[in-house]
Coordinates of all heavy atoms in Angstrom, one line a residue:
G252 N 114.7 104.3 99.6 CA 114.0 103.0 99.9 C 112.6 103.0 99.4 O 112.1 104.0 98.9
A253 N 111.9 101.8 99.5 CA 110.6 101.7 99.1 C 109.6 102.5 99.9 O 109.9 102.8 101.1 CB 110.2 100.2 99.1
Y254 N 108.4 102.8 99.3 CA 107.4 103.6 100.0 C 106.1 102.8 100.3 O 105.7 102.0 99.5 CB 107.1 104.9 99.2 CG 108.0 106.0 99.4 CD1 109.3 106.0 98.9 CD2 107.7 107.1 100.3 CE1 110.2 107.0 99.1 CE2 108.6 108.1 100.5 CZ 109.9 108.1 99.9 OH 110.8 109.1 100.1
N255 N 105.5 103.1 101.4 CA 104.2 102.7 101.7 C 103.2 103.9 101.4 O 103.7 105.0 101.3 CB 104.1 102.3 103.2 CG 105.1 101.3 103.6 OD1 104.9 100.1 103.3 ND2 106.1 101.7 104.3
F256 N 101.9 103.6 101.4 CA 101.0 104.6 101.0 C 99.8 104.7 101.8 O 99.2 103.6 102.2 CB 100.6 104.4 99.5 CG 101.7 104.6 98.5 CD1 102.6 103.6 98.2 CD2 101.9 105.8 97.9 CE1 103.6 103.8 97.4 CE2 102.9 106.0 97.0 CZ 103.8 105.0 96.7
L257 N 99.4 105.9 102.2 CA 98.1 106.2 102.9 C 97.2 107.0 101.9 O 97.6 108.1 101.5 CB 98.3 106.9 104.2 CG 97.1 107.4 105.0 CD1 96.2 106.2 105.3 CD2 97.5 108.0 106.3
L258 N 96.1 106.4 101.5 CA 95.2 107.0 100.6 C 93.9 107.5 101.3 O 93.1 106.7 101.8 CB 94.8 106.0 99.5 CG 96.0 105.3 98.8 CD1 95.5 104.3 97.8 CD2 97.0 106.2 98.2
E259 N 93.8 108.8 101.3 CA 92.6 109.4 102.0 C 91.5 109.7 101.0 O 91.7 110.4 100.0 CB 93.0 110.7 102.7 CG 91.8 111.4 103.4 CD 92.1 112.9 103.6 OE1 93.2 113.3 104.1 OE2 91.1 113.7 103.4
G260 N 90.3 109.2 101.3 CA 89.1 109.4 100.4 C 88.2 108.2 100.4 O 88.5 107.2 101.1
D261 N 87.2 108.3 99.6 CA 86.3 107.2 99.4 C 87.1 106.0 98.9 O 87.8 106.1 97.9 CB 85.1 107.5 98.5 CG 84.1 106.5 98.4 OD1 84.3 105.4 98.0 OD2 82.9 106.8 98.9
N262 N 86.9 104.8 99.6 CA 87.8 103.7 99.2 C 87.4 103.1 97.8 O 88.2 102.5 97.2 CB 87.8 102.6 100.3 CG 86.4 102.0 100.5 OD1 85.4 102.3 99.9 ND2 86.4 101.1 101.5
L263 N 86.2 103.4 97.3 CA 85.8 102.9 96.0 C 86.6 103.7 95.0 O 87.1 103.2 94.0 CB 84.3 103.1 95.7 CG 83.8 102.6 94.4 CD1 84.2 101.2 94.1 CD2 82.3 102.8 94.2
H264 N 86.7 105.0 95.2 CA 87.6 105.9 94.4 C 89.0 105.4 94.4 O 89.6 105.3 93.3 CB 87.5 107.3 95.0 CG 88.2 108.4 94.3 ND1 87.7 109.7 94.3 CD2 89.3 108.4 93.5 CE1 88.5 110.5 93.6 NE2 89.5 109.7 93.1
S265 N 89.6 105.1 95.5 CA 90.9 104.6 95.6 C 91.1 103.3 94.9 O 92.1 103.1 94.2 CB 91.4 104.5 97.1 OG 91.5 105.8 97.7
L266 N 90.2 102.4 95.1 CA 90.2 101.1 94.5 C 90.2 101.2 93.0 O 90.9 100.4 92.3 CB 89.1 100.2 95.0 CG 89.2 99.7 96.4 CD1 87.9 99.0 96.9 CD2 90.4 98.7 96.5
K267 N 89.4 102.1 92.4 CA 89.3 102.3 91.0 C 90.7 102.6 90.4 O 91.1 102.2 89.3 CB 88.3 103.3 90.6 CG 86.9 103.0 90.9 CD 86.3 102.1 89.9 CE 84.8 101.9 90.1 NZ 84.2 101.0 89.1
L268 N 91.4 103.5 91.2 CA 92.8 103.9 90.7 C 93.8 102.8 91.0 O 94.7 102.6 90.2 CB 93.2 105.2 91.4 CG 92.4 106.4 90.9 CD1 92.6 107.6 91.8 CD2 92.9 106.8 89.5
L269 N 93.7 102.1 92.1 CA 94.6 101.0 92.4 C 94.5 99.9 91.3 O 95.4 99.2 91.1 CB 94.3 100.4 93.8 CG 94.8 101.2 94.9 CD1 94.3 100.7 96.3 CD2 96.4 101.2 95.0
E270 N 93.3 99.7 90.7 CA 93.1 98.7 89.7 C 94.0 99.0 88.5 O 94.4 98.2 87.7 CB 91.7 98.6 89.3 CG 91.4 97.4 88.4 CD 89.9 97.2 88.1 OE1 89.1 98.1 88.5 OE2 89.5 96.2 87.5
K271 N 94.4 100.3 88.3 CA 95.3 100.7 87.2 C 96.7 100.4 87.6 O 97.5 100.0 86.7 CB 95.1 102.2 86.9 CG 93.7 102.6 86.4 CD 93.7 104.1 86.3 CE 92.3 104.6 85.9 NZ 92.0 104.3 84.5
T272 N 97.1 100.5 88.8 CA 98.5 100.4 89.2 C 98.9 99.0 89.8 O 100.0 98.6 89.8 CB 98.9 101.5 90.3 OG1 98.0 101.3 91.4 CG2 98.7 102.9 89.7
H273 N 97.9 98.3 90.4 CA 98.2 97.1 91.2 C 97.4 95.9 90.8 O 97.2 95.0 91.6 CB 98.0 97.4 92.7 CG 99.2 98.2 93.2 ND1 99.3 99.5 93.0 CD2 100.2 97.8 94.0 CE1 100.4 100.0 93.6 NE2 100.9 99.0 94.2
K274 N 96.8 95.9 89.6 CA 96.0 94.7 89.2 C 96.9 93.5 89.2 O 97.9 93.4 88.6 CB 95.5 95.0 87.8 CG 94.5 93.9 87.3 CD 93.9 94.3 86.0 CE 92.9 93.3 85.5 NZ 92.3 93.6 84.2
G275 N 96.4 92.5 89.9 CA 97.2 91.2 90.0 C 98.5 91.3 90.8 O 99.3 90.4 90.7
K276 N 98.7 92.3 91.6 CA 99.9 92.5 92.3 C 99.8 92.5 93.8 O 100.9 92.5 94.5 CB 100.6 93.9 91.9 CG 100.9 94.0 90.4 CD 101.5 95.4 90.1 CE 101.8 95.5 88.6 NZ 102.3 96.9 88.3

C-alpha cells in the first residue's frame, strides 16, 4: 500500500528536497 512520511530535521532542509519531489502536488 501507499506510504506516509515523517521527515526529521530542519524543515527548510526538508522543504528544499520536497520541492524536487512534490512541486505542484
Side-chain angles (χ1 to χ4, degrees):
Y254 276 77
N255 303 284
F256 293 84
L257 175 54
L258 312 179
E259 177 199 317
D261 189 293
N262 61 5
L263 181 58
H264 184 151
S265 294
L266 286 169
K267 292 281 189 182
L268 287 167
L269 283 170
E270 193 172 5
K271 297 173 182 291
T272 60
H273 285 75
K274 187 175 182 179
K276 297 178 181 177

